[in-house]
Amino acid sequence: MTKLQAAVTPALDGASPLARLFAMVSERDAHSEAEQRDDAETAAAHHVYTQYGATLGQVLYDEDWTGRIAVKDNRLEASAVAWLEGGLWLHHTLDISEYDGAHDVLTLIVPCTCDSSYIAFQLENEEDLLEILTDLRRTHGRVPHQHNDDCASVPDPHAQK
């Protein structure tokens, strides 16, 4: 295997056909990733505008969404996130299945009162969002714990350890 690698490596100068083909693949991948991000942002904005028009549709704009590419190894579809301030943010993706087709999944991510974790609320509709926001308003946008060691939420990947 080492002899094969040594024989191939010198041929990969910028003018070689293989180097040019690799460059084309890289450009295509970069273009595909940009398209995934754009499509995810568009899908999120469209879903919020059409299904949450009286709430989120009034406060979020198309440019508030940031697209993320799909992660094939983890079987995650492309998605988009929107920051709401105060540690709260939205995550939008499409759940695609062979039987049901595709449907939008919008999740509200809320920090815990312990300030080191988050709770995810999958939103079904605008009434669901309003009910959750009513509860969160009392706690200034934090999910309270019954006990200090009662946190069963998702750890904050940015928290200091």
PDB file of all heavy atoms in Angstrom, residues 99-121:
ATOM      1  N   TYR A  99     -42.355   6.367   4.852  1.00  0.00           N
ATOM      2  CA  TYR A  99     -43.795   6.170   4.922  1.00  0.00           C
ATOM      3  C   TYR A  99     -44.586   7.471   4.979  1.00  0.00           C
ATOM      4  O   TYR A  99     -45.656   7.569   4.394  1.00  0.00           O
ATOM      5  CB  TYR A  99     -44.133   5.316   6.157  1.00  0.00           C
ATOM      6  CG  TYR A  99     -43.411   3.994   6.141  1.00  0.00           C
ATOM      7  CD1 TYR A  99     -42.332   3.778   6.976  1.00  0.00           C
ATOM      8  CD2 TYR A  99     -43.779   2.979   5.269  1.00  0.00           C
ATOM      9  CE1 TYR A  99     -41.646   2.569   6.958  1.00  0.00           C
ATOM     10  CE2 TYR A  99     -43.099   1.774   5.229  1.00  0.00           C
ATOM     11  CZ  TYR A  99     -42.033   1.567   6.084  1.00  0.00           C
ATOM     12  OH  TYR A  99     -41.356   0.389   6.054  1.00  0.00           O
ATOM     13  N   ASP A 100     -44.067   8.453   5.696  1.00  0.00           N
ATOM     14  CA  ASP A 100     -44.811   9.691   5.914  1.00  0.00           C
ATOM     15  C   ASP A 100     -44.378  10.839   5.024  1.00  0.00           C
ATOM     16  O   ASP A 100     -44.970  11.907   5.069  1.00  0.00           O
ATOM     17  CB  ASP A 100     -44.674  10.146   7.379  1.00  0.00           C
ATOM     18  CG  ASP A 100     -45.241   9.137   8.347  1.00  0.00           C
ATOM     19  OD1 ASP A 100     -46.175   8.410   7.968  1.00  0.00           O
ATOM     20  OD2 ASP A 100     -44.733   9.067   9.478  1.00  0.00           O
ATOM     21  N   GLY A 101     -43.311  10.682   4.278  1.00  0.00           N
ATOM     22  CA  GLY A 101     -42.778  11.796   3.499  1.00  0.00           C
ATOM     23  C   GLY A 101     -42.003  12.729   4.409  1.00  0.00           C
ATOM     24  O   GLY A 101     -41.329  12.291   5.330  1.00  0.00           O
ATOM     25  N   ALA A 102     -42.119  14.019   4.166  1.00  0.00           N
ATOM     26  CA  ALA A 102     -41.383  15.002   4.975  1.00  0.00           C
ATOM     27  C   ALA A 102     -42.359  15.884   5.737  1.00  0.00           C
ATOM     28  O   ALA A 102     -43.404  16.271   5.212  1.00  0.00           O
ATOM     29  CB  ALA A 102     -40.514  15.869   4.067  1.00  0.00           C
ATOM     30  N   HIS A 103     -42.017  16.168   6.990  1.00  0.00           N
ATOM     31  CA  HIS A 103     -42.796  17.148   7.742  1.00  0.00           C
ATOM     32  C   HIS A 103     -41.846  17.975   8.602  1.00  0.00           C
ATOM     33  O   HIS A 103     -40.782  17.529   9.008  1.00  0.00           O
ATOM     34  CB  HIS A 103     -43.920  16.501   8.562  1.00  0.00           C
ATOM     35  CG  HIS A 103     -43.464  15.674   9.719  1.00  0.00           C
ATOM     36  ND1 HIS A 103     -43.112  14.362   9.603  1.00  0.00           N
ATOM     37  CD2 HIS A 103     -43.300  16.001  11.019  1.00  0.00           C
ATOM     38  CE1 HIS A 103     -42.750  13.905  10.783  1.00  0.00           C
ATOM     39  NE2 HIS A 103     -42.846  14.876  11.659  1.00  0.00           N
ATOM     40  N   ASP A 104     -42.254  19.217   8.824  1.00  0.00           N
ATOM     41  CA  ASP A 104     -41.441  20.173   9.569  1.00  0.00           C
ATOM     42  C   ASP A 104     -41.408  19.825  11.051  1.00  0.00           C
ATOM     43  O   ASP A 104     -42.426  19.429  11.620  1.00  0.00           O
ATOM     44  CB  ASP A 104     -42.028  21.582   9.416  1.00  0.00           C
ATOM     45  CG  ASP A 104     -41.956  22.085   8.001  1.00  0.00           C
ATOM     46  OD1 ASP A 104     -40.879  22.546   7.609  1.00  0.00           O
ATOM     47  OD2 ASP A 104     -42.973  22.001   7.284  1.00  0.00           O
ATOM     48  N   VAL A 105     -40.227  20.006  11.640  1.00  0.00           N
ATOM     49  CA  VAL A 105     -40.069  19.834  13.085  1.00  0.00           C
ATOM     50  C   VAL A 105     -39.423  21.113  13.609  1.00  0.00           C
ATOM     51  O   VAL A 105     -38.298  21.447  13.245  1.00  0.00           O
ATOM     52  CB  VAL A 105     -39.185  18.614  13.419  1.00  0.00           C
ATOM     53  CG1 VAL A 105     -38.994  18.493  14.927  1.00  0.00           C
ATOM     54  CG2 VAL A 105     -39.775  17.342  12.839  1.00  0.00           C
ATOM     55  N   LEU A 106     -40.161  21.810  14.465  1.00  0.00           N
ATOM     56  CA  LEU A 106     -39.658  23.043  15.067  1.00  0.00           C
ATOM     57  C   LEU A 106     -39.514  22.812  16.567  1.00  0.00           C
ATOM     58  O   LEU A 106     -40.452  22.366  17.235  1.00  0.00           O
ATOM     59  CB  LEU A 106     -40.623  24.203  14.807  1.00  0.00           C
ATOM     60  CG  LEU A 106     -40.160  25.572  15.272  1.00  0.00           C
ATOM     61  CD1 LEU A 106     -38.896  26.011  14.529  1.00  0.00           C
ATOM     62  CD2 LEU A 106     -41.270  26.601  15.065  1.00  0.00           C
ATOM     63  N   THR A 107     -38.317  23.102  17.080  1.00  0.00           N
ATOM     64  CA  THR A 107     -38.015  22.868  18.484  1.00  0.00           C
ATOM     65  C   THR A 107     -37.540  24.159  19.129  1.00  0.00           C
ATOM     66  O   THR A 107     -36.686  24.854  18.578  1.00  0.00           O
ATOM     67  CB  THR A 107     -36.917  21.786  18.620  1.00  0.00           C
ATOM     68  OG1 THR A 107     -37.328  20.617  17.905  1.00  0.00           O
ATOM     69  CG2 THR A 107     -36.676  21.431  20.069  1.00  0.00           C
ATOM     70  N   LEU A 108     -38.105  24.466  20.279  1.00  0.00           N
ATOM     71  CA  LEU A 108     -37.674  25.609  21.085  1.00  0.00           C
ATOM     72  C   LEU A 108     -36.682  25.078  22.114  1.00  0.00           C
ATOM     73  O   LEU A 108     -37.005  24.157  22.875  1.00  0.00           O
ATOM     74  CB  LEU A 108     -38.870  26.263  21.777  1.00  0.00           C
ATOM     75  CG  LEU A 108     -38.567  27.409  22.728  1.00  0.00           C
ATOM     76  CD1 LEU A 108     -37.975  28.598  21.974  1.00  0.00           C
ATOM     77  CD2 LEU A 108     -39.834  27.826  23.477  1.00  0.00           C
ATOM     78  N   ILE A 109     -35.477  25.629  22.128  1.00  0.00           N
ATOM     79  CA  ILE A 109     -34.427  25.221  23.051  1.00  0.00           C
ATOM     80  C   ILE A 109     -34.334  26.298  24.135  1.00  0.00           C
ATOM     81  O   ILE A 109     -34.150  27.480  23.831  1.00  0.00           O
ATOM     82  CB  ILE A 109     -33.066  25.077  22.345  1.00  0.00           C
ATOM     83  CG1 ILE A 109     -33.195  24.264  21.050  1.00  0.00           C
ATOM     84  CG2 ILE A 109     -32.024  24.510  23.289  1.00  0.00           C
ATOM     85  CD1 ILE A 109     -33.602  22.842  21.214  1.00  0.00           C
ATOM     86  N   VAL A 110     -34.465  25.870  25.403  1.00  0.00           N
ATOM     87  CA  VAL A 110     -34.552  26.807  26.523  1.00  0.00           C
ATOM     88  C   VAL A 110     -33.526  26.426  27.597  1.00  0.00           C
ATOM     89  O   VAL A 110     -33.426  25.253  27.956  1.00  0.00           O
ATOM     90  CB  VAL A 110     -35.973  26.773  27.144  1.00  0.00           C
ATOM     91  CG1 VAL A 110     -36.097  27.764  28.283  1.00  0.00           C
ATOM     92  CG2 VAL A 110     -37.028  27.031  26.085  1.00  0.00           C
ATOM     93  N   PRO A 111     -32.788  27.414  28.118  1.00  0.00           N
ATOM     94  CA  PRO A 111     -31.824  27.093  29.178  1.00  0.00           C
ATOM     95  C   PRO A 111     -32.522  26.757  30.494  1.00  0.00           C
ATOM     96  O   PRO A 111     -33.617  27.233  30.771  1.00  0.00           O
ATOM     97  CB  PRO A 111     -31.005  28.377  29.317  1.00  0.00           C
ATOM     98  CG  PRO A 111     -31.856  29.449  28.752  1.00  0.00           C
ATOM     99  CD  PRO A 111     -32.759  28.819  27.743  1.00  0.00           C
ATOM    100  N   CYS A 112     -31.849  25.932  31.280  1.00  0.00           N
ATOM    101  CA  CYS A 112     -32.338  25.581  32.627  1.00  0.00           C
ATOM    102  C   CYS A 112     -31.953  26.685  33.607  1.00  0.00           C
ATOM    103  O   CYS A 112     -31.067  27.488  33.337  1.00  0.00           O
ATOM    104  CB  CYS A 112     -31.691  24.284  33.101  1.00  0.00           C
ATOM    105  SG  CYS A 112     -32.115  22.862  32.121  1.00  0.00           S
ATOM    106  N   THR A 113     -32.585  26.667  34.753  1.00  0.00           N
ATOM    107  CA  THR A 113     -32.220  27.626  35.796  1.00  0.00           C
ATOM    108  C   THR A 113     -30.820  27.358  36.324  1.00  0.00           C
ATOM    109  O   THR A 113     -30.205  28.251  36.900  1.00  0.00           O
ATOM    110  CB  THR A 113     -33.234  27.584  36.958  1.00  0.00           C
ATOM    111  OG1 THR A 113     -33.356  26.227  37.405  1.00  0.00           O
ATOM    112  CG2 THR A 113     -34.578  28.126  36.538  1.00  0.00           C
ATOM    113  N   CYS A 114     -30.296  26.149  36.116  1.00  0.00           N
ATOM    114  CA  CYS A 114     -28.941  25.837  36.571  1.00  0.00           C
ATOM    115  C   CYS A 114     -27.884  26.468  35.665  1.00  0.00           C
ATOM    116  O   CYS A 114     -26.704  26.441  35.987  1.00  0.00           O
ATOM    117  CB  CYS A 114     -28.726  24.328  36.649  1.00  0.00           C
ATOM    118  SG  CYS A 114     -28.764  23.483  35.056  1.00  0.00           S
ATOM    119  N   ASP A 115     -28.300  27.052  34.536  1.00  0.00           N
ATOM    120  CA  ASP A 115     -27.421  27.737  33.586  1.00  0.00           C
ATOM    121  C   ASP A 115     -26.326  26.863  32.983  1.00  0.00           C
ATOM    122  O   ASP A 115     -25.336  27.368  32.475  1.00  0.00           O
ATOM    123  CB  ASP A 115     -26.774  28.977  34.210  1.00  0.00           C
ATOM    124  CG  ASP A 115     -27.756  30.128  34.303  1.00  0.00           C
ATOM    125  OD1 ASP A 115     -28.658  30.204  33.442  1.00  0.00           O
ATOM    126  OD2 ASP A 115     -27.621  30.949  35.229  1.00  0.00           O
ATOM    127  N   SER A 116     -26.483  25.548  33.034  1.00  0.00           N
ATOM    128  CA  SER A 116     -25.480  24.698  32.395  1.00  0.00           C
ATOM    129  C   SER A 116     -26.098  23.693  31.440  1.00  0.00           C
ATOM    130  O   SER A 116     -25.383  22.899  30.839  1.00  0.00           O
ATOM    131  CB  SER A 116     -24.654  23.963  33.456  1.00  0.00           C
ATOM    132  OG  SER A 116     -25.469  23.072  34.184  1.00  0.00           O
ATOM    133  N   SER A 117     -27.411  23.725  31.277  1.00  0.00           N
ATOM    134  CA  SER A 117     -28.091  22.757  30.422  1.00  0.00           C
ATOM    135  C   SER A 117     -29.291  23.388  29.725  1.00  0.00           C
ATOM    136  O   SER A 117     -29.682  24.504  30.044  1.00  0.00           O
ATOM    137  CB  SER A 117     -28.558  21.571  31.256  1.00  0.00           C
ATOM    138  OG  SER A 117     -27.486  20.947  31.899  1.00  0.00           O
ATOM    139  N   TYR A 118     -29.848  22.637  28.785  1.00  0.00           N
ATOM    140  CA  TYR A 118     -31.007  23.091  28.019  1.00  0.00           C
ATOM    141  C   TYR A 118     -32.106  22.040  28.033  1.00  0.00           C
ATOM    142  O   TYR A 118     -31.841  20.850  28.145  1.00  0.00           O
ATOM    143  CB  TYR A 118     -30.626  23.333  26.554  1.00  0.00           C
ATOM    144  CG  TYR A 118     -29.756  24.532  26.330  1.00  0.00           C
ATOM    145  CD1 TYR A 118     -28.375  24.427  26.308  1.00  0.00           C
ATOM    146  CD2 TYR A 118     -30.317  25.774  26.118  1.00  0.00           C
ATOM    147  CE1 TYR A 118     -27.576  25.528  26.085  1.00  0.00           C
ATOM    148  CE2 TYR A 118     -29.533  26.892  25.900  1.00  0.00           C
ATOM    149  CZ  TYR A 118     -28.163  26.755  25.887  1.00  0.00           C
ATOM    150  OH  TYR A 118     -27.389  27.857  25.669  1.00  0.00           O
ATOM    151  N   ILE A 119     -33.329  22.495  27.858  1.00  0.00           N
ATOM    152  CA  ILE A 119     -34.489  21.629  27.661  1.00  0.00           C
ATOM    153  C   ILE A 119     -35.042  21.940  26.271  1.00  0.00           C
ATOM    154  O   ILE A 119     -35.142  23.105  25.887  1.00  0.00           O
ATOM    155  CB  ILE A 119     -35.590  21.904  28.720  1.00  0.00           C
ATOM    156  CG1 ILE A 119     -35.071  21.655  30.129  1.00  0.00           C
ATOM    157  CG2 ILE A 119     -36.832  21.074  28.437  1.00  0.00           C
ATOM    158  CD1 ILE A 119     -34.827  20.212  30.473  1.00  0.00           C
ATOM    159  N   ALA A 120     -35.406  20.897  25.540  1.00  0.00           N
ATOM    160  CA  ALA A 120     -35.948  21.058  24.185  1.00  0.00           C
ATOM    161  C   ALA A 120     -37.454  20.810  24.211  1.00  0.00           C
ATOM    162  O   ALA A 120     -37.922  19.813  24.763  1.00  0.00           O
ATOM    163  CB  ALA A 120     -35.271  20.079  23.242  1.00  0.00           C
ATOM    164  N   PHE A 121     -38.203  21.742  23.636  1.00  0.00           N
ATOM    165  CA  PHE A 121     -39.646  21.622  23.512  1.00  0.00           C
ATOM    166  C   PHE A 121     -39.987  21.521  22.026  1.00  0.00           C
ATOM    167  O   PHE A 121     -39.833  22.494  21.287  1.00  0.00           O
ATOM    168  CB  PHE A 121     -40.363  22.855  24.089  1.00  0.00           C
ATOM    169  CG  PHE A 121     -40.186  23.039  25.564  1.00  0.00           C
ATOM    170  CD1 PHE A 121     -39.191  23.874  26.056  1.00  0.00           C
ATOM    171  CD2 PHE A 121     -41.023  22.389  26.461  1.00  0.00           C
ATOM    172  CE1 PHE A 121     -39.033  24.066  27.415  1.00  0.00           C
ATOM    173  CE2 PHE A 121     -40.867  22.576  27.825  1.00  0.00           C
ATOM    174  CZ  PHE A 121     -39.867  23.409  28.312  1.00  0.00           C
TER     175      PHE A 121
END
